[in-house]
Amino acid sequence: MSDNTAAIEEIRELLGDRLSTGSSIREIHSRDEAYSTPSLPDAVAFPETTEEVSQIMRICTKHKCPVVPYGVGTSLEGHIVPIHGGISIDTSRMNQILEVHAEDLDAVVQPGVTREQLNEDLRATGLMFTVDPGANATLGGMAATRASGTNAVRYGTMRENVLALEVVLADGTVIETGTRARKSSAGYDLTHLFVGSEGTLGIITKLTVRLYGQPEHIAAATCAFPTIDDAVNTVILAIQTGLPMARIELLDELQMKGMNTYNPDMNMAEKPYLFLEFHGSPAGVEEQVASFRDIAEEFGVQDFEWASKTEDRNRLWAARHSAYYAGKSLRPGAEGVVTDVCVPISELAECIRGTQEDIAASGLIAPLVGHVGDGNFHLLILVDPESDDELKRAKELAHNVCRRALASGGTVTGEHGVGTGKMRYMEEEHGPAYAVMAQLKKSLDPNNLMNPGKMVQVN
Amino acid sequence: MSDNTAAIEEIRELLGDRLSTGSSIREIHSRDEAYSTPSLPDAVAFPETTEEVSQIMRICTKHKCPVVPYGVGTSLEGHIVPIHGGISIDTSRMNQILEVHAEDLDAVVQPGVTREQLNEDLRATGLMFTVDPGANATLGGMAATRASGTNAVRYGTMRENVLALEVVLADGTVIETGTRARKSSAGYDLTHLFVGSEGTLGIITKLTVRLYGQPEHIAAATCAFPTIDDAVNTVILAIQTGLPMARIELLDELQMKGMNTYNPDMNMAEKPYLFLEFHGSPAGVEEQVASFRDIAEEFGVQDFEWASKTEDRNRLWAARHSAYYAGKSLRPGAEGVVTDVCVPISELAECIRGTQEDIAASGLIAPLVGHVGDGNFHLLILVDPESDDELKRAKELAHNVCRRALASGGTVTGEHGVGTGKMRYMEEEHGPAYAVMAQLKKSLDPNNLMNPGKMVQVN
C-alpha cells in the first residue's frame, strides 16, 4: 500500500464521504483554466473546518502524501494541478462569511467564499470588497495567487487588501498572522509571506480582508482611440498626473471584436478602447472626468460613451470581466496561452509596441487586454491544441513577451502567479533571491508536501 | 584573540579608518532614544558600498561576529543596541539618492538617506515621499522598523511605500527583492519579509520607494474638543465615513501643555486637540473640510484654526513632529517610556478611556499623542531615571496599555517595532506564529549573527 493510499484511508475515517476518489471529481481537480497538462489527484478532500484541514495535514505529513489546495479552479498557470498526485483539498465547503466589521471596514471570511458572494452579502452595508479578477474566484485562491483585477490601480491587489490570515502549516499547526489593527511593526510580516505563496507554504483557512465604502458617485465610460499607442499614452499621462481613477482598462481592436462576438448586446467599434471608472463625490468625479478628457483629447480620443445608470455600468464591467471568454470566442475550439507581464509605467508604451510587432510576426491570433494603470497587460494567444507548430509559436511569442518585461525592469506575472507556467523565469527575475525563496520553502515545508513542484524547486 | 577581534582586524584592512574602535563613536552606537540599557559595540564600521557591506558580512560570518545595522539611532525600542557586542554597521555614508523616476513615481535610494533629505531633493520635481516618523530617520531604518507617521492614514506606512529592496544576507549574498513594477505575483514576497525585520534577517543596502505627486491643494487645521472622548469619536466617525484625510492627529491636554512649553511660538489652549490635513483639488478639499466640520460639530468642536499658508502649515507639522521632545519638556531631566499600541478603530475610544484611567491611577505624567486615524496612539511616560519606584510604575502602566491592546484585537507596536522592549509580548500577540518567525530567522541567519537577541529568541 503506497503512502498516499494509507493517507487516503485515514482521511476517509475523518471526513467520510467528504473524501472522494471518484474519477469525475478527480478529473475536475486535475486542471485549471490554463493550457497545461492535467494530472489527477489520488483523492479530493472537502473539509469544513480549520480543525479538519489541520488533521488532514497531520495525516499527510505522517504518510508523506502531497497536498494541493483548490478553490474553484480558475487559476491560469496550472497552480492547482496535482503534478505529484496526492490530495486535492477543495475549500468549497468552507464558504462562510464569519464577521463583517462595518465600523472597521474589514471582514473575516473562510477561504471558499467567492468575491461575488462577499459583495452580494455586503450590498446592504454600503461597503464593498474591491479585488476583482475576471473569474468569480475564491478569496483563498485570490490570496494564494496575489490576485488583482480592474481596480487595483485605485484600491490595490490582494497584497494590500489582506490584513490577516489563518494558515494551516504542513505539520498541522494552525497559525494566525496579523491582527485587525490597520498597521503593526510587531515581527516578521507573515501575512505577506503567505499571500502569493500559492499553497506551497501552508493552506489558508481564514482571511481578514479590507473593505471600502461604496463611492458616493461613480462615473463609467468607454472611449476609442485612433491607435493603441494613443490609448496607452493617455493612460501613462493620466497616471503620472496623479488622477485617482478607479479603473482604466485597455482593450485592443481584436479584443473588441471578441467582445462584440461574445456579448450579443455590445456593438462597439473595433478600435483600441479604454474602459474607465471614476469614484468620488459628485464634484470630485466631475473634476476627474474633466482632467481625463483633457488628456485623452491630446491623443485624439473618439466616442466617449458614458454609462451613468447602475445597470449600464454593471453590463460594461460584466463584459470586461468576460474578456478571457470573449477572446476565446474569436477562435472556437482553440486553447488559450495567456501572458501576464507587468512593467514600470514609463516602459509600457514601448513594451506594448514591441509586443504587437511580435504578434504580427508570429502569425497568431492574440487579443490584448490590460490593467494598464498598473503597467499590467495580457495576451490571450489562441492556438489549435492539435497543432504542435502553433503551440510552439505561441510559446515563443509568450516567451518574448516575458523576456521583454524582464528587460524593462518588470515582472513576468502581474497577477496570475507562477504555478508551473512561469517557473522557468523565476531564476532570471529574482536572481540570488530565488534561492532564498527555496530556503524559506524548505524551512516551512521540510518534506516538500505543500503543492510540490510549484513556485520553487527544492531538493 | 576573540573572534570579534579577528573580525575587526579583517574589516579594518577593508575599510581603513572607516572602522572605528574609538570610545566616543562606540558610545554613540550603544543606545537609541529608548529608555533601555546601553551596550557598546566592539567596533563601528562605516561602509560606503553594498560590496563593502557584503564583505563585512562574509568576514563576520567567518568569525561568528554579531552585527547590528545602524541608521541615525532614533529608534525607540533598543533596536540598534548591540546587546551581544560585535560590529555596529553605520549606514550614514551610504546616503546617495541614486535614481528618481518621476514618470513612475518612485525613487531608488541608499539606506542612509533621511526622509528630509529625500524630500528636499524631490522638491523641484513636484513629488513627495510621505512616510514621516517624528525623527528625521534614515529610510533604511524606517524600512527595518516598518515605520509610519502622521499621514499613514492616507498614504500608508513603509509596508505600502517600499516597492523593492537590495539586501545583504548573513553570508554576504546580495539579493534584490521585487521590481519597479507596481504589482507582481512572482514568488514569495521577500520585500515585505525584510520590511520590519529590524536587521535580524539581513542588511538593507538599497530601497525603491513610492513617491506621490504633491497635492494640488492642501488645507491644514487645528481644532479643540471639550473632552478627549469627543476628539476620538470625531476621528472614528470621519474614518468610518471614508473621508480621505491626509493627516488626523490627536494630542491630549498634557501634550498640548508640552507643545506650548517646547515651541515658543505656540500658544494654544490646553485642551484635547486634533491636528488635521486635507489633500486634493481645491473643490475636493473644500468638500472634505465641510464634511469633517459637520462631524466635528456633532462632538462640540471649538476653535477651528486654519493654516493656509505653506509656512504656517510647515510650522504646525514641525511642532507635531517635535511631540516627543515637547512631551519630555514637561519634566526636564526625565526619561521617557514610550508606548505604541494600535487597535481596530472601533476599539479606539474604549482603549483610550481605559488608558487614561490607568494613567490617573499610576500617578505619573504621561502625555498622549496619536495617529488616531490608524488606531495608533502613544504615551510618553516621564520618569525620574534615579527612581526605581517610578520606573516600576511606568513599566506597569505601559504593560497595562499593551495588554489592553492585545485584548482589543490590536498590536503592541503600531510603528516603533519590537527591538528589545516589546519582545516579551511577541508570544502573546502572535501565538504559534511566533515560532514560525523563529524558524525563518534560523533559516536565513543560521549562526544568529544579524542583530542577535532582537525580535525572536533563537539558540
Side-chain angles (χ1 to χ4, degrees):
Chain A
M1 182 161 78
S2 85
D3 282 338
N4 290 4
T5 310
I8 289 167
E9 286 192 5
E10 280 192 48
I11 297 170
R12 178 165 285 129
E13 275 176 45
L14 176 71
L15 299 181
D17 60 6
R18 288 188 284 113
L19 188 279
S20 171
T21 50
S23 61
S24 68
I25 297 281
R26 288 165 63 214
E27 178 67 30
I28 290 166
H29 293 77
S30 72
R31 62 171 79 233
D32 61 12
E33 296 198 4
Y35 181 79
S36 64
T37 314
S39 174
L40 291 171
D42 295 307
V44 182
F46 294 87
E48 290 178 346
T49 64
T50 299
E51 178 53 29
E52 284 181 351
V53 175
S54 170
Q55 288 192 45
I56 291 168
M57 287 318 306
R58 282 199 289 270
I59 294 166
C60 286
T61 286
K62 183 169 115 189
H63 295 290
K64 306 279 186 288
C65 173
V67 298
V68 182
Y70 182 99
V72 288
T74 53
S75 54
L76 291 167
E77 292 290 355
H79 306 68
I80 50 78
V81 179
I83 56 178
H84 294 294
I87 313 292
S88 179
I89 299 183
D90 183 310
T91 60
S92 58
R93 285 171 177 253
M94 297 179 74
N95 65 348
Q96 302 301 304
I97 296 165
L98 301 171
E99 299 164 27
V100 174
H101 302 110
E103 67 283 19
D104 292 315
L105 302 174
D106 69 52
V108 182
V109 302
Q110 288 190 306
V113 169
T114 68
R115 64 177 182 86
E116 289 179 5
Q117 178 193 350
L118 178 57
N119 274 319
E120 191 59 41
D121 189 81
L122 290 173
R123 190 171 295 175
T125 64
L127 300 173
M128 61 181 185
F129 174 73
T130 57
V131 188
D132 68 335
N136 185 22
T138 63
L139 270 66
M142 287 165 62
T145 51
R146 207 181 291 125
S148 52
T150 64
N151 49 34
V153 64
R154 170 80 174 255
Y155 298 101
T157 73
M158 289 302 275
R159 179 178 62 186
E160 287 79 25
N161 283 281
V162 175
L163 293 169
L165 292 171
E166 179 187 82
V167 178
V168 175
L169 302 178
D171 65 0
T173 304
V174 181
I175 64 169
E176 308 229 5
T177 73
T179 70
R180 292 204 304 109
R182 276 302 163 115
K183 64 183 194 185
S184 172
S185 289
Y188 304 149
D189 188 341
L190 298 183
T191 304
H192 280 97
L193 183 61
F194 286 101
V195 169
S197 66
E198 303 187 5
T200 62
L201 300 178
I203 299 177
I204 295 168
T205 48
K206 202 158 73 180
L207 305 89
T208 304
V209 295
R210 188 181 288 255
L211 306 176
Y212 287 87
Q214 286 169 17
E216 190 188 349
H217 187 66
I218 300 177
T222 57
C223 56
F225 289 84
T227 69
I228 196 166
D229 233 37
D230 292 318
V232 172
N233 284 322
T234 298
V235 174
I236 292 173
L237 194 52
I239 291 289
Q240 289 170 359
T241 308
L243 263 188
M245 297 158 296
R247 286 165 154 157
I248 184 155
E249 299 278 309
L250 174 70
L251 302 91
D252 78 353
E253 293 168 61
L254 200 50
Q255 181 65 40
M256 291 306 297
K257 186 174 172 188
M259 304 292 271
N260 285 335
T261 311
Y262 186 76
N263 302 284
D265 284 1
M266 280 181 89
N267 185 17
M268 296 173 73
E270 286 169 17
K271 289 182 179 170
Y273 257 89
L274 291 179
F275 284 22
L276 302 154
E277 199 163 272
F278 303 92
H279 293 177
S281 65
V285 166
E286 205 175 301
E287 279 185 338
Q288 292 176 47
V289 166
S291 302
F292 182 81
R293 264 187 183 273
D294 285 348
I295 293 168
E297 274 162 17
E298 286 183 44
F299 296 99
V301 68
Q302 305 157 345
D303 306 331
F304 254 106
E305 288 209 25
W306 294 90
S308 42
K309 281 188 282 186
T310 304
E311 56 267 35
D312 291 343
R313 274 205 322 275
N314 289 348
R315 200 175 306 123
L316 178 67
W317 294 112
R320 170 62 189 85
H321 281 124
S322 74
Y324 178 72
Y325 310 100
K328 276 191 143 183
S329 74
L330 287 166
R331 192 177 177 190
E335 291 280 354
V337 173
V338 178
T339 72
D340 176 38
V341 297
C342 185
V343 297
I345 197 94
S346 60
E347 303 283 342
L348 186 61
E350 187 56 36
C351 215
I352 287 184
R353 212 173 292 130
T355 299
Q356 286 188 300
E357 288 166 13
D358 285 346
I359 297 170
S362 77
L364 294 166
I365 299 174
L368 183 153
V369 298
H371 313 304
V372 281
D374 304 318
N376 181 210
F377 67 92
H378 309 295
L379 297 187
L380 176 65
I381 311 168
L382 297 167
V383 292
D384 173 357
E386 304 297 313
S387 164
D388 289 345
D389 171 61
E390 281 198 16
L391 193 58
K392 184 162 164 282
R393 280 187 285 147
K395 289 192 169 172
E396 271 171 20
L397 172 56
H399 182 62
N400 288 342
V401 172
C402 288
R403 296 300 305 270
R404 185 177 294 105
L406 293 176
S408 308
T411 173
V412 297
T413 171
E415 59 180 7
H416 294 168
V418 179
T420 50
K422 292 292 187 291
M423 277 184 70
R424 62 184 290 207
Y425 300 104
M426 289 301 97
E427 182 87 47
E428 184 173 352
E429 178 163 336
H430 298 296
Y434 192 44
V436 175
M437 296 183 196
Q439 253 179 286
L440 298 177
K441 165 74 172 171
K442 280 182 204 161
S443 172
L444 296 188
D445 180 23
N447 298 305
N448 195 23
L449 301 178
M450 313 293 299
N451 206 355
K454 310 289 169 59
M455 182 73 79
V456 284
Q457 286 294 9
V458 289
N459 307 316
Chain B
M1 182 162 76
S2 84
D3 281 339
N4 289 4
T5 310
I8 289 167
E9 287 192 6
E10 280 193 48
I11 297 170
R12 178 164 285 128
E13 274 176 46
L14 177 69
L15 299 182
D17 60 7
R18 289 189 283 113
L19 188 278
S20 171
T21 51
S23 60
S24 68
I25 297 281
R26 287 166 63 214
E27 179 68 30
I28 289 167
H29 293 78
S30 72
R31 62 172 79 232
D32 60 13
E33 298 198 4
Y35 181 80
S36 64
T37 314
S39 175
L40 291 171
D42 295 306
V44 182
F46 294 87
E48 290 178 345
T49 64
T50 299
E51 178 53 29
E52 285 181 349
V53 176
S54 170
Q55 288 191 45
I56 291 168
M57 287 317 308
R58 282 198 290 269
I59 293 166
C60 287
T61 286
K62 183 169 113 189
H63 296 290
K64 306 279 184 289
C65 173
V67 299
V68 181
Y70 182 98
V72 286
T74 53
S75 55
L76 291 167
E77 293 290 354
H79 305 69
I80 49 78
V81 180
I83 56 178
H84 295 293
I87 313 292
S88 179
I89 300 183
D90 183 311
T91 60
S92 59
R93 285 170 176 254
M94 297 179 74
N95 65 348
Q96 302 302 305
I97 297 165
L98 302 171
E99 300 165 27
V100 174
H101 302 111
E103 67 284 18
D104 292 315
L105 303 174
D106 68 55
V108 182
V109 302
Q110 287 189 308
V113 170
T114 68
R115 65 177 182 86
E116 290 179 6
Q117 177 193 351
L118 178 57
N119 274 318
E120 192 58 42
D121 190 82
L122 289 174
R123 190 171 295 175
T125 64
L127 300 172
M128 61 182 185
F129 174 72
T130 58
V131 187
D132 68 334
N136 185 22
T138 62
L139 270 66
M142 288 165 61
T145 51
R146 207 182 290 124
S148 52
T150 65
N151 50 32
V153 62
R154 171 80 174 255
Y155 298 102
T157 73
M158 288 303 275
R159 179 178 63 187
E160 287 79 24
N161 283 282
V162 175
L163 292 169
L165 292 171
E166 179 187 81
V167 179
V168 175
L169 302 178
D171 66 359
T173 304
V174 182
I175 64 168
E176 308 228 5
T177 73
T179 70
R180 292 204 305 109
R182 276 301 163 118
K183 64 183 194 185
S184 171
S185 289
Y188 304 149
D189 188 341
L190 299 183
T191 303
H192 280 96
L193 183 61
F194 286 101
V195 170
S197 66
E198 302 186 7
T200 63
L201 299 178
I203 298 177
I204 295 169
T205 48
K206 202 159 73 179
L207 305 90
T208 304
V209 295
R210 187 181 290 255
L211 306 176
Y212 287 87
Q214 287 168 15
E216 190 187 350
H217 187 65
I218 300 178
T222 57
C223 56
F225 288 85
T227 69
I228 195 166
D229 233 38
D230 291 318
V232 172
N233 284 322
T234 298
V235 174
I236 293 173
L237 193 52
I239 291 288
Q240 288 170 359
T241 308
L243 263 187
M245 295 157 299
R247 287 166 153 158
I248 184 155
E249 299 278 308
L250 174 70
L251 301 91
D252 78 353
E253 294 168 59
L254 200 52
Q255 180 66 41
M256 290 307 296
K257 187 175 173 188
M259 304 293 270
N260 284 335
T261 312
Y262 186 76
N263 303 284
D265 285 0
M266 278 182 90
N267 185 16
M268 295 172 73
E270 286 169 18
K271 287 182 180 171
Y273 258 88
L274 291 178
F275 284 21
L276 301 154
E277 199 164 270
F278 304 91
H279 293 179
S281 65
V285 167
E286 204 175 302
E287 279 185 336
Q288 292 176 47
V289 167
S291 302
F292 182 81
R293 264 186 183 273
D294 286 347
I295 292 168
E297 275 162 15
E298 286 184 44
F299 296 99
V301 69
Q302 305 157 345
D303 308 331
F304 254 105
E305 288 209 25
W306 293 91
S308 42
K309 279 189 282 185
T310 305
E311 55 267 36
D312 292 342
R313 273 207 322 274
N314 288 348
R315 201 175 306 123
L316 178 68
W317 295 112
R320 170 62 190 87
H321 281 124
S322 75
Y324 177 72
Y325 310 100
K328 277 190 143 184
S329 74
L330 287 167
R331 192 177 178 190
E335 290 279 354
V337 173
V338 179
T339 71
D340 176 37
V341 297
C342 185
V343 297
I345 196 93
S346 61
E347 304 284 342
L348 186 60
E350 187 55 36
C351 215
I352 288 184
R353 213 173 291 130
T355 299
Q356 288 189 299
E357 288 167 13
D358 285 347
I359 297 171
S362 76
L364 294 166
I365 299 174
L368 184 153
V369 298
H371 313 304
V372 281
D374 304 320
N376 181 209
F377 67 92
H378 310 296
L379 297 187
L380 175 63
I381 310 169
L382 296 168
V383 293
D384 172 357
E386 305 297 312
S387 164
D388 288 344
D389 171 60
E390 281 199 17
L391 192 58
K392 184 163 163 281
R393 281 187 285 146
K395 289 193 169 172
E396 271 171 20
L397 172 55
H399 182 62
N400 288 342
V401 172
C402 288
R403 295 301 304 271
R404 185 178 294 104
L406 292 176
S408 307
T411 173
V412 297
T413 172
E415 57 180 9
H416 293 168
V418 179
T420 51
K422 292 291 187 291
M423 276 184 72
R424 61 184 292 207
Y425 300 103
M426 290 299 98
E427 182 87 47
E428 184 174 352
E429 178 163 337
H430 298 296
Y434 193 44
V436 174
M437 295 183 196
Q439 253 179 285
L440 298 177
K441 166 75 172 170
K442 281 183 203 162
S443 172
L444 295 188
D445 180 24
N447 299 306
N448 194 24
L449 300 177
M450 312 294 299
N451 205 355
K454 311 289 171 59
M455 183 73 81
V456 285
Q457 285 295 9
V458 289
N459 317 303

